Amino acid sequence: MKALVTGGAGFIGSHIVDRLLERGDEVVVYDNMSTGLEDFISQHFKNHRFKLIHGDILDLERLTKEMTGIDIVFHLAAHADVRSGFIDHKIDIEQNLMGTINVLEAMKINGVKKIAFSSTSSVYGDATIIPTPENYPFFPTSLYGSSKASAETYIATFCEYYDMTAYIFRFVSWVGERYTHGLVFDFLSKLEKDPTCLHILGDGTQKKSYLYVRDGVDAIFTVIDKAKEKMNIYNLGNDEIIDVTDSAKVIIGEAGYKNVRLTYEGGDKGWIGDNKYVLLDTKKLHSLGWKAGKDTREGLRITTRYLLNNPGVIKKRNGRLAPKS
Ligand SMILES: NC(=O)c1ccc[n+]([C@@H]2O[C@H](COP(=O)([O-])OP(=O)(O)OC[C@H]3O[C@@H](n4cnc5c(N)ncnc54)[C@H](O)[C@@H]3O)[C@@H](O)[C@H]2O)c1
């Protein structure tokens, strides 16, 4: 199989690249390096089955050219910062929706028939059914969620028009090696500045689910290998939920900080557009035989250790889509 991975130099994309190469597949990474890091894929530079293209998904001509001979596209390139759509109302539509339409156009022109797409639990918004199943309606509370929901509907239509098959993955937050943005990153960045106090957005009772990256990659390939529909839509998440205060305690404990005072911004959400409870129903995924190998706390601890052992990651990533809190 020859795969093109948009966003293949990013946190999740680079793990997909590792797995494809382990399976014996050929891989083209197509990435504009806006938030991706060469460090995450440089171990493959000498592999003849690997190629890196510095390209933007908004450049349709280039994308179309690089998609020649591809069997499957893993589309991960995105503006992956949920919060900033509140400030910039166009970025999610440009990067996440228009970017996806370009990917679909390039697939159509090249006759590529399979797409795996990284969607999000944010498409459900503040769901009233917890755990939230795949057939819960789209009710996004962020433009990031709206753009991903819209992209899913475009993918569905292209599948219908051009006989494509789609694997849509609605992710909770991922953690693990090469993690570069999100709660653990925010907390460790703050603690580095002031080890005596951690300021938490919201009241700390927000509850979230976290998926360890290698478990998530296992889930993606389980679905691709076993699911048989035209549109294969799967929630990807852990079955546990943890509140933000407990997450903070796990991270502080693993990082070895002592006597940290927790302070709270207040309000029942971390930011405008945040969702207070995120727990997805993963029965459909489990029915294919997938099981998470790491629990939520272990995932948070691994991520904490990874960031502490790789301070360069925080430095390189800061300034490029860095958390604004
Ligand atoms: N990390 C999570 O917890 C999470 C949760 C839900 C959904 N997702 C989705 O998973 C995907 C991967 O997320 P991630 O956490 O690995 O993010 P990331 O920022 O680490 O990776 C995104 C990659 O896409 C590249 N990119 C961005 N815009 C591009 C463009 N216009 N053209 C080409 N390349 C571009 C970046 O350089 C980067 O390598 C995203 O689509 C994101 O929305 C992630």
Side-chain angles (χ1 to χ4, degrees):
M1 183 164 89
K2 189 166 177 186
L4 182 138
V5 186
T6 73
F11 164 40
I12 300 174
S14 63
H15 283 274
I16 289 176
V17 170
D18 291 349
R19 189 61 62 87
L20 285 163
L21 290 167
E22 272 165 37
R23 285 162 60 109
D25 296 321
E26 277 183 64
V27 178
V28 176
V29 166
Y30 188 96
D31 199 302
N32 70 359
M33 307 309 277
S34 53
T35 59
L37 295 177
E38 278 201 2
D39 297 358
F40 293 169
I41 46 171
S42 56
Q43 69 278 21
H44 302 307
F45 284 176
K46 289 195 175 136
N47 187 334
H48 68 280
R49 287 186 282 112
F50 174 86
K51 186 170 150 191
L52 168 64
I53 305 292
H54 287 256
D56 199 299
I57 53 170
L58 296 181
D59 180 350
L60 179 58
E61 201 179 320
R62 180 87 196 278
L63 185 60
T64 303
K65 180 173 163 271
E66 301 301 344
M67 227 184 258
T68 314
I70 295 294
D71 302 303
I72 181 167
V73 174
F74 289 80
H75 177 36
L76 290 110
H79 172 254
D81 179 28
V82 189
R83 291 183 229 174
S84 55
F86 181 65
I87 309 294
D88 180 343
H89 296 168
K90 289 189 179 158
I91 191 158
D92 293 298
I93 293 301
E94 282 164 6
Q95 294 292 324
N96 301 350
L97 180 57
M98 290 312 297
T100 301
I101 294 172
N102 274 357
V103 168
L104 292 165
E105 286 288 354
M107 287 176 64
K108 180 191 86 177
I109 294 166
N110 284 287
V112 183
K113 295 293 183 197
K114 289 184 179 176
I115 179 169
F117 178 63
S118 51
S119 188
T120 166
S121 58
S122 302
V123 297
Y124 302 123
D126 285 321
T128 52
I129 300 178
I130 306 278
T132 310
E134 285 89 351
N135 61 5
Y136 191 86
F138 289 153
F139 242 111
T141 54
S142 63
L143 289 177
Y144 170 77
S146 303
S147 67
K148 290 281 187 175
S150 309
E152 283 195 29
T153 66
Y154 271 77
I155 291 171
T157 307
F158 268 71
C159 284
E160 184 63 27
Y161 283 175
Y162 303 109
D163 195 27
M164 296 174 180
T165 298
Y167 306 93
I168 306 270
F169 299 106
R170 297 183 183 149
F171 300 161
V172 295
S173 297
W174 290 46
V175 290
E177 295 83 0
R178 304 182 193 148
Y179 175 97
T180 53
H181 57 117
L183 177 109
V184 189
F185 189 105
D186 281 20
F187 283 0
L188 289 178
S189 299
K190 286 179 180 176
L191 286 163
E192 200 182 13
K193 284 190 199 115
D194 181 358
T196 66
C197 174
L198 178 63
H199 189 64
I200 291 176
L201 301 180
D203 59 9
T205 64
Q206 313 92 290
K207 288 188 166 61
K208 309 275 173 162
S209 168
Y210 297 96
L211 181 64
Y212 175 59
V213 65
R214 291 180 202 205
D215 288 338
V217 172
D218 285 344
I220 286 175
F221 285 95
T222 300
V223 170
I224 290 175
D225 289 342
K226 295 189 175 169
K228 298 279 178 255
E229 305 297 318
K230 198 172 187 55
M231 283 288 291
N232 301 284
I233 301 173
Y234 283 80
N235 283 338
L236 255 64
N238 217 314
D239 291 339
E240 298 161 290
I241 198 160
I242 181 168
D243 74 31
V244 174
T245 295
D246 279 345
S247 310
K249 288 179 182 165
V250 171
I251 295 162
I252 289 167
E254 189 61 26
Y257 290 103
K258 301 271 182 268
N259 304 319
V260 178
R261 190 166 49 92
L262 300 182
T263 59
Y264 295 91
E265 185 78 15
D268 65 353
K269 292 185 176 191
W271 58 88
I272 296 172
D274 186 23
N275 300 122
K276 188 165 165 56
Y277 295 103
V278 180
L279 181 66
L280 299 184
D281 184 330
T282 52
K283 280 203 251 348
K284 201 174 159 189
L285 179 60
H286 284 292
S287 75
L288 298 180
W290 174 87
K291 251 177 78 179
K294 304 255 185 271
D295 66 29
T296 295
R297 283 180 163 72
E298 205 176 346
L300 291 172
R301 284 195 290 264
I302 291 170
T303 312
T304 304
R305 286 199 297 275
Y306 169 77
L307 287 172
L308 293 176
N309 292 334
N310 294 276
V313 168
I314 296 192
K315 281 207 182 73
K316 281 185 188 165
R317 181 67 195 252
N318 262 327
R320 294 192 289 152
L321 242 189
K324 292 180 185 59
S325 54

